[in-house]
Amino acid sequence: MLAMGQPGYTRDVDAAREWFRKASAQGYAPSQAFYGALLMREIGPEWIELGLELVRKSAAQNDAQGQFFLARCYENGHGVARNDVTAAALFEKAALGGSKPAQQSIAAMYERGQGVASDPVKAAKWRQIADKPVPAPRCPLARRRGGYPRRPRTSLLRASSWPSDHPLRQTAPGATRALIPARYGKESNSAVSAFSL
């Protein structure tokens, strides 16, 4: 994928094809899907059978992209006999797996009644799901409710533990003091807050 034009890399289709081939030979389902689609579309009709075999292997592993590409093949009759019922079933599986193009395709099939019974309610549901943005990955250290972990608070220091010649111990004996930076506290100028025991 990096060789296909990501920042810092030049677009090199031959290198990308080679990396997809290597990963698909190891059984990696997303690479099988992309390499199979690449063989069927860009290399030529003599490779359709091999490309279709790779896409089928990917779809058999429940890869959403593999199911989407195989559904496209059945929808367009590309390498297989055209079958709208099979295409709709594969689009729905891929849509449930999170593929945005599959969600849009199954919505269109429900709108047209192609391969499935016409159902505007299901079509609207899939359109709504497809229009939602993909959530950003969460921080692995995030709390259960989401968000990022808080910064640790500055620990409280007892004035009695400070050296006897410390200026703050002399000004407030017997008080508990916390060194709190201004950005954490309400005070704008003072970084020291005093609390009574």
Side-chain angles (χ1 to χ4, degrees):
M1 291 294 284
L2 293 176
M4 289 297 284
Q6 293 293 325
Y9 293 86
T10 58
R11 183 176 170 85
D12 189 351
V13 177
D14 294 330
R17 186 182 304 125
E18 182 61 22
W19 283 110
F20 280 131
R21 185 193 64 74
K22 286 179 180 180
S24 66
Q26 294 178 4
Y28 184 59
S31 290
Q32 288 175 333
F34 283 109
Y35 186 59
L38 189 71
L39 288 175
M40 287 191 289
R41 289 188 200 141
E42 292 189 15
I43 296 184
E46 64 272 10
W47 295 96
I48 288 178
E49 198 171 311
L50 178 61
L52 189 60
E53 181 185 335
L54 288 171
V55 169
R56 278 193 173 133
K57 283 181 182 179
S58 174
Q61 295 178 51
N62 287 328
D63 180 61
Q65 288 302 320
Q67 292 167 341
F68 171 72
F69 288 143
L70 189 57
R72 278 278 183 238
C73 290
Y74 278 108
E75 183 185 34
N76 299 322
H78 191 69
V80 293
R82 184 181 167 136
N83 188 336
D84 289 338
V85 174
T86 306
L90 286 167
F91 276 137
E92 193 142 17
K93 279 185 184 178
L96 290 170
S99 171
K100 292 288 182 186
Q103 292 166 354
Q104 294 167 348
S105 297
I106 193 64
M109 292 188 97
Y110 274 118
E111 286 169 355
R112 293 188 301 256
Q114 178 185 353
V116 289
S118 181
D119 190 343
V121 174
K122 284 187 178 180
K125 178 191 102 171
W126 280 117
R127 287 271 182 229
Q128 185 180 16
I129 291 170
D131 289 341
K132 285 184 183 176
V134 177
R138 290 180 48 193
C139 172
L141 301 175
R143 294 171 181 240
R144 190 177 300 192
R145 290 186 195 168
Y148 291 94
R150 288 182 155 180
R151 290 181 139 183
R153 294 184 180 216
T154 307
S155 62
L156 295 175
L157 301 175
R158 294 207 175 268
S160 59
S161 67
W162 296 349
S164 59
D165 60 339
H166 195 281
L168 290 178
R169 182 170 180 173
Q170 293 172 358
T171 58
T176 303
R177 302 213 171 239
L179 296 175
I180 303 172
R183 67 175 176 240
Y184 293 124
K186 294 181 181 175
E187 301 85 7
S188 58
N189 295 331
S190 173
V192 177
S193 252
F195 300 96
S196 62
L197 290 174

